[in-house]
Amino acid sequence: MKRNYSNIKKAKYYLDNNECVAIPTETVYGLAGNAYSSNAVKKIFKLKKRPSFNPLIVHYSKVRDLQKDCEINQYFIKLYKKFCPGPLTFVLKLKKNSQISKYVTNKKKTLAVRFPKHSITRLLLKNLNYPLAAPSANLSTKVSAVEPKHINEDFGNKIKFILKGKKSKIGIESTIIDLTNKPKILRLGGLEIEKIEKEIKTKLHFKLNPKKISAPGQLKLHYSPGLPIKLNVKNANDNVAHILINKRKNDKKNFFYLSKKSDLKEAAKNLYSTLRKIKKDGYKRIAVEKIPKIGLGLSINDRLNRAAKFK
Ligand code: TXA
Ligand code: MG
């Protein structure tokens, strides 16, 4: 932790001056700015080329600080105690006297909030007197970043500072649950919904492609490496990058393993770096082996389905 302290100070310096800084989290890297500063928040949207109607997630280290901005409820307390800090984002009612910039929420009366677990980012948050708005640190509609080098690929030197950590442990974005009414899943992600259901003793309903979009992250094309993707493919031609989750007898150059033993956690961790690598290697098409629709497999399928909307 000591080793990182000067970097945390540097990140704080930029953030205090309304600049954007990339931060490591256990899900994916974030592009962070002071959530109370419209100036800083506008810069995030501009850098990401993100449409202004797509609201940001705000990151806290303490519930006490969150309560300055949002109303909490019994479901929140239960889930917070069990899963936070961790890969779960809550949509809560925004308090009238909250200082959150209106650009964060696009004037919505709700706010998405998260308590990241990554130790560097927790330490950073503890040293700030404002929460951090941070979408994933990638260009809008593209593949998220799980390593510092991915951020350079997307933004070059446009970001003032990258607070570097290791490869994100979970590798896909947080699960989003709306608690402003009856609990509802808005985005599948790094926390399995089966675990959430067990904790709140409620069956959660979600539709991967609902007609009415309540979280703009449910937009159809997203997480795209910019290549056509075909799903549920058993055998692919040699010139097609074949993404696999089970070891095959004879390896081939175009095989890209997310896991060799159908381990869905490992597969989630490797998903985005593999999509980026395939693109870098010059492949023009991607095929993906069938991935089970349970646990994190649901989240991986969700990401790949959206990425497959690229034509
Ligand atoms: O794991 C994560 O959640 C990462 C790390 C950096 O924390 N962040 C992330 O942010 O994935 P982003 O901006 O890429 O995705 C945020 C999603 C978007 O789909 C957005 O539409 C949704 O959260 N969202 C934000 N505020 C919302 C709100 N008030 N109501 C419904 N959806 C909301
Ligand atoms: Mg994103």
Side-chain angles (χ1 to χ4, degrees):
M1 204 60 82
K2 255 207 172 120
R3 191 165 48 88
N4 287 319
Y5 206 76
S6 68
N7 282 341
I8 288 173
K9 262 188 161 163
K10 218 169 179 179
K12 175 176 159 54
Y13 169 81
Y14 284 116
L15 291 164
D16 283 349
N17 285 285
N18 293 326
E19 296 294 350
C20 300
V21 163
I23 56 167
T25 92
E26 74 281 13
T27 55
V28 298
Y29 274 71
L31 181 57
N34 177 352
Y36 292 159
S37 156
S38 292
N39 220 335
V41 172
K42 280 197 262 182
K43 284 183 190 166
I44 298 176
F45 279 92
K46 199 167 165 214
L47 277 165
K48 262 191 76 103
K49 302 197 174 100
R50 182 176 178 115
S52 60
F53 61 79
N54 194 358
L56 306 179
I57 297 178
V58 176
H59 299 65
Y60 294 86
S61 68
K62 297 186 202 97
V63 175
R64 214 176 43 237
D65 291 335
L66 165 75
Q67 284 182 289
K68 292 177 196 158
D69 298 319
C70 290
E71 315 273 358
I72 61 168
N73 57 35
Q74 287 311 309
Y75 282 118
F76 169 83
I77 293 167
K78 211 164 194 185
L79 292 171
Y80 175 85
K81 278 191 180 152
K82 180 79 182 172
F83 300 115
C84 294
L88 181 61
T89 292
F90 307 94
V91 174
L92 299 171
K93 285 188 181 138
L94 199 55
K95 281 188 174 165
K96 280 216 172 77
N97 58 354
S98 149
Q99 288 182 64
I100 295 288
S101 158
K102 64 177 190 290
Y103 293 96
V104 167
T105 58
N106 188 27
K107 297 182 192 152
K108 266 170 145 359
K109 293 193 168 60
T110 59
L111 184 68
V113 302
R114 180 161 116 69
F115 297 82
K117 190 169 185 177
H118 198 291
S119 58
I120 297 176
T121 289
R122 277 180 71 73
L123 195 53
L124 171 66
L125 283 166
K126 282 181 188 155
N127 279 281
L128 303 174
N129 50 17
Y130 46 84
L132 289 176
S136 49
N138 55 281
L139 292 172
S140 189
T141 78
K142 298 287 193 287
V143 178
S144 303
V146 293
E147 290 180 60
K149 68 175 183 198
H150 300 156
I151 302 167
N152 290 322
E153 282 168 16
D154 278 20
F155 296 102
N157 55 10
K158 285 196 186 131
I159 296 179
K160 294 273 182 213
F161 186 62
I162 300 175
L163 186 54
K164 287 185 180 160
K166 294 191 182 135
K167 184 171 176 180
S168 297
K169 270 195 181 147
I170 293 174
I172 47 175
E173 299 81 352
S174 58
T175 300
I176 305 182
I177 188 164
D178 182 350
L179 297 179
T180 56
N181 254 304
K182 221 172 116 211
K184 192 165 100 191
I185 297 294
L186 298 184
R187 176 176 75 183
L188 296 167
L191 181 65
E192 298 90 333
I193 59 164
E194 294 92 331
K195 289 189 183 162
I196 303 177
E197 286 175 335
K198 197 170 159 209
E199 193 56 27
I200 58 175
K201 299 187 180 72
T202 310
K203 181 95 189 123
L204 288 164
H205 295 280
F206 63 92
K207 276 194 189 152
L208 293 187
N209 285 303
K211 287 218 174 76
K212 184 172 164 267
I213 292 168
S214 44
Q218 292 173 318
L219 288 173
K220 278 188 183 151
L221 172 68
H222 204 160
Y223 316 108
S224 167
L227 299 175
I229 300 184
K230 214 171 157 194
L231 305 176
N232 306 323
V233 178
K234 251 193 193 149
N235 296 302
N237 288 340
D238 288 355
N239 62 347
V240 176
H242 201 183
I243 295 184
L244 304 168
I245 59 159
N246 289 296
K247 177 84 180 86
R248 300 254 167 133
K249 247 195 199 147
N250 300 309
D251 278 340
K252 289 212 246 158
K253 200 168 157 257
N254 63 324
F255 285 1
F256 290 83
Y257 288 106
L258 297 182
S259 165
K260 288 187 176 172
K261 44 184 195 279
S262 215
D263 177 337
L264 295 172
K265 274 207 158 90
E266 188 186 13
K269 181 171 176 174
N270 290 326
L271 179 66
Y272 291 143
S273 43
T274 302
L275 290 174
R276 282 180 180 263
K277 177 150 192 345
I278 288 170
K279 170 93 176 173
K280 255 187 143 175
D281 285 359
Y283 284 93
K284 297 280 179 276
R285 312 188 78 79
I286 300 176
V288 189
E289 181 178 36
K290 193 169 189 173
I291 295 174
K293 293 194 173 82
I294 44 156
L296 291 187
L298 285 169
S299 312
I300 298 170
N301 273 300
D302 170 66
R303 302 303 187 263
L304 288 169
N305 270 311
R306 287 172 213 281
K309 297 286 183 274
F310 179 86
K311 295 285 176 254

Short mmCIF file of all heavy atoms in Angstrom, two decimals, residues 13-37:
data_model
loop_
_atom_site.label_atom_id
_atom_site.label_comp_id
_atom_site.label_asym_id
_atom_site.label_seq_id
_atom_site.Cartn_x
_atom_site.Cartn_y
_atom_site.Cartn_z
N TYR A 13 -4.68 14.78 -6.59
CA TYR A 13 -4.36 16.12 -7.08
C TYR A 13 -5.16 16.42 -8.36
O TYR A 13 -5.82 17.47 -8.47
CB TYR A 13 -2.84 16.23 -7.36
CG TYR A 13 -2.48 17.48 -8.11
CD1 TYR A 13 -2.34 18.70 -7.43
CD2 TYR A 13 -2.32 17.46 -9.50
CE1 TYR A 13 -2.05 19.86 -8.14
CE2 TYR A 13 -2.04 18.62 -10.20
CZ TYR A 13 -1.90 19.81 -9.51
OH TYR A 13 -1.63 20.95 -10.20
N TYR A 14 -5.13 15.50 -9.30
CA TYR A 14 -5.88 15.72 -10.54
C TYR A 14 -7.38 15.80 -10.29
O TYR A 14 -8.07 16.67 -10.82
CB TYR A 14 -5.56 14.63 -11.56
CG TYR A 14 -4.20 14.79 -12.21
CD1 TYR A 14 -3.20 13.85 -12.03
CD2 TYR A 14 -3.93 15.90 -13.00
CE1 TYR A 14 -1.95 14.00 -12.62
CE2 TYR A 14 -2.69 16.07 -13.60
CZ TYR A 14 -1.71 15.12 -13.41
OH TYR A 14 -0.48 15.29 -13.99
N LEU A 15 -7.88 14.89 -9.48
CA LEU A 15 -9.33 14.86 -9.21
C LEU A 15 -9.77 16.13 -8.50
O LEU A 15 -10.82 16.70 -8.82
CB LEU A 15 -9.69 13.62 -8.39
CG LEU A 15 -9.55 12.28 -9.14
CD1 LEU A 15 -9.54 11.10 -8.18
CD2 LEU A 15 -10.66 12.12 -10.18
N ASP A 16 -8.97 16.60 -7.54
CA ASP A 16 -9.30 17.84 -6.83
C ASP A 16 -9.37 19.03 -7.80
O ASP A 16 -10.03 20.03 -7.53
CB ASP A 16 -8.25 18.15 -5.75
CG ASP A 16 -8.42 17.27 -4.51
OD1 ASP A 16 -9.46 16.59 -4.39
OD2 ASP A 16 -7.52 17.28 -3.65
N ASN A 17 -8.63 18.89 -8.92
CA ASN A 17 -8.64 19.96 -9.92
C ASN A 17 -9.58 19.68 -11.09
O ASN A 17 -9.38 20.18 -12.20
CB ASN A 17 -7.20 20.20 -10.41
CG ASN A 17 -6.40 20.94 -9.36
OD1 ASN A 17 -6.57 22.15 -9.16
ND2 ASN A 17 -5.55 20.22 -8.64
N ASN A 18 -10.59 18.86 -10.81
CA ASN A 18 -11.65 18.57 -11.80
C ASN A 18 -11.17 17.88 -13.07
O ASN A 18 -11.79 17.99 -14.12
CB ASN A 18 -12.40 19.85 -12.19
CG ASN A 18 -13.19 20.37 -11.03
OD1 ASN A 18 -13.69 19.59 -10.22
ND2 ASN A 18 -13.29 21.69 -10.92
N GLU A 19 -10.06 17.15 -12.96
CA GLU A 19 -9.60 16.36 -14.10
C GLU A 19 -10.09 14.92 -13.95
O GLU A 19 -10.46 14.50 -12.85
CB GLU A 19 -8.06 16.37 -14.19
CG GLU A 19 -7.45 17.74 -14.45
CD GLU A 19 -7.79 18.29 -15.83
OE1 GLU A 19 -8.34 17.56 -16.67
OE2 GLU A 19 -7.50 19.49 -16.05
N CYS A 20 -10.05 14.16 -15.07
CA CYS A 20 -10.45 12.75 -15.02
C CYS A 20 -9.22 11.86 -14.83
O CYS A 20 -8.18 12.10 -15.43
CB CYS A 20 -11.11 12.35 -16.32
SG CYS A 20 -12.57 13.30 -16.68
N VAL A 21 -9.40 10.82 -14.05
CA VAL A 21 -8.32 9.88 -13.75
C VAL A 21 -8.87 8.46 -13.92
O VAL A 21 -10.00 8.19 -13.52
CB VAL A 21 -7.85 10.11 -12.29
CG1 VAL A 21 -7.04 8.94 -11.77
CG2 VAL A 21 -7.06 11.41 -12.16
N ALA A 22 -8.09 7.57 -14.54
CA ALA A 22 -8.55 6.18 -14.64
C ALA A 22 -8.21 5.45 -13.35
O ALA A 22 -7.12 5.64 -12.79
CB ALA A 22 -7.88 5.50 -15.83
N ILE A 23 -9.15 4.66 -12.86
CA ILE A 23 -8.95 3.96 -11.58
C ILE A 23 -9.21 2.45 -11.74
O ILE A 23 -10.07 2.04 -12.51
CB ILE A 23 -9.89 4.52 -10.48
CG1 ILE A 23 -11.37 4.45 -10.91
CG2 ILE A 23 -9.50 5.95 -10.11
CD1 ILE A 23 -12.36 4.68 -9.79
N PRO A 24 -8.44 1.66 -10.96
CA PRO A 24 -8.68 0.21 -11.04
C PRO A 24 -9.86 -0.18 -10.17
O PRO A 24 -10.04 0.38 -9.09
CB PRO A 24 -7.39 -0.37 -10.45
CG PRO A 24 -6.90 0.67 -9.49
CD PRO A 24 -7.36 2.00 -10.02
N THR A 25 -10.72 -1.07 -10.64
CA THR A 25 -11.70 -1.67 -9.73
C THR A 25 -11.68 -3.18 -9.99
O THR A 25 -11.09 -3.64 -10.97
CB THR A 25 -13.15 -1.11 -9.87
OG1 THR A 25 -13.87 -1.91 -10.78
CG2 THR A 25 -13.20 0.35 -10.25
N GLU A 26 -12.30 -3.91 -9.11
CA GLU A 26 -12.29 -5.38 -9.25
C GLU A 26 -13.14 -5.86 -10.44
O GLU A 26 -12.96 -6.96 -10.92
CB GLU A 26 -12.76 -6.04 -7.94
CG GLU A 26 -14.25 -5.95 -7.65
CD GLU A 26 -14.66 -4.58 -7.10
OE1 GLU A 26 -13.87 -3.62 -7.16
OE2 GLU A 26 -15.80 -4.48 -6.61
N THR A 27 -14.05 -4.99 -10.92
CA THR A 27 -14.86 -5.39 -12.08
C THR A 27 -14.12 -5.01 -13.36
O THR A 27 -13.61 -5.87 -14.06
CB THR A 27 -16.25 -4.71 -12.04
OG1 THR A 27 -16.08 -3.30 -11.94
CG2 THR A 27 -17.06 -5.23 -10.88
N VAL A 28 -14.07 -3.71 -13.66
CA VAL A 28 -13.32 -3.19 -14.80
C VAL A 28 -12.72 -1.86 -14.37
O VAL A 28 -13.09 -1.32 -13.32
CB VAL A 28 -14.25 -2.97 -16.04
CG1 VAL A 28 -14.86 -4.28 -16.51
CG2 VAL A 28 -15.36 -1.96 -15.75
N TYR A 29 -11.80 -1.32 -15.17
CA TYR A 29 -11.25 0.01 -14.84
C TYR A 29 -12.32 1.07 -15.05
O TYR A 29 -13.18 0.94 -15.94
CB TYR A 29 -10.02 0.32 -15.70
CG TYR A 29 -8.74 -0.23 -15.09
CD1 TYR A 29 -8.50 -1.60 -15.09
CD2 TYR A 29 -7.81 0.62 -14.49
CE1 TYR A 29 -7.34 -2.12 -14.51
CE2 TYR A 29 -6.65 0.11 -13.92
CZ TYR A 29 -6.42 -1.25 -13.93
OH TYR A 29 -5.28 -1.76 -13.34
N GLY A 30 -12.28 2.13 -14.25
CA GLY A 30 -13.24 3.22 -14.38
C GLY A 30 -12.54 4.50 -14.82
O GLY A 30 -11.33 4.67 -14.64
N LEU A 31 -13.33 5.40 -15.43
CA LEU A 31 -12.81 6.72 -15.79
C LEU A 31 -13.48 7.71 -14.83
O LEU A 31 -14.66 8.04 -14.99
CB LEU A 31 -13.16 7.03 -17.25
CG LEU A 31 -12.69 8.37 -17.79
CD1 LEU A 31 -11.17 8.50 -17.66
CD2 LEU A 31 -13.07 8.50 -19.26
N ALA A 32 -12.72 8.14 -13.83
CA ALA A 32 -13.33 8.81 -12.68
C ALA A 32 -13.20 10.32 -12.68
O ALA A 32 -12.24 10.88 -13.20
CB ALA A 32 -12.70 8.25 -11.39
N GLY A 33 -14.20 10.96 -12.07
CA GLY A 33 -14.16 12.40 -11.84
C GLY A 33 -15.01 12.73 -10.62
O GLY A 33 -15.84 11.90 -10.20
N ASN A 34 -14.79 13.91 -10.05
CA ASN A 34 -15.56 14.36 -8.88
C ASN A 34 -17.05 14.42 -9.23
O ASN A 34 -17.46 15.21 -10.09
CB ASN A 34 -15.02 15.75 -8.48
CG ASN A 34 -15.78 16.36 -7.32
OD1 ASN A 34 -16.82 15.84 -6.89
ND2 ASN A 34 -15.27 17.47 -6.81
N ALA A 35 -17.86 13.60 -8.56
CA ALA A 35 -19.29 13.51 -8.89
C ALA A 35 -20.05 14.77 -8.49
O ALA A 35 -21.18 14.98 -8.93
CB ALA A 35 -19.91 12.29 -8.21
N TYR A 36 -19.44 15.63 -7.66
CA TYR A 36 -20.10 16.88 -7.26
C TYR A 36 -19.75 18.03 -8.21
O TYR A 36 -20.26 19.13 -8.07
CB TYR A 36 -19.68 17.27 -5.83
CG TYR A 36 -20.19 16.34 -4.74
CD1 TYR A 36 -19.56 16.30 -3.48
CD2 TYR A 36 -21.32 15.54 -4.93
CE1 TYR A 36 -20.04 15.48 -2.47
CE2 TYR A 36 -21.79 14.71 -3.92
CZ TYR A 36 -21.15 14.68 -2.69
OH TYR A 36 -21.62 13.87 -1.69
N SER A 37 -18.83 17.77 -9.15
CA SER A 37 -18.38 18.84 -10.03
C SER A 37 -18.89 18.65 -11.47
O SER A 37 -18.49 17.70 -12.15
CB SER A 37 -16.84 18.87 -10.03
OG SER A 37 -16.36 19.46 -11.21
#
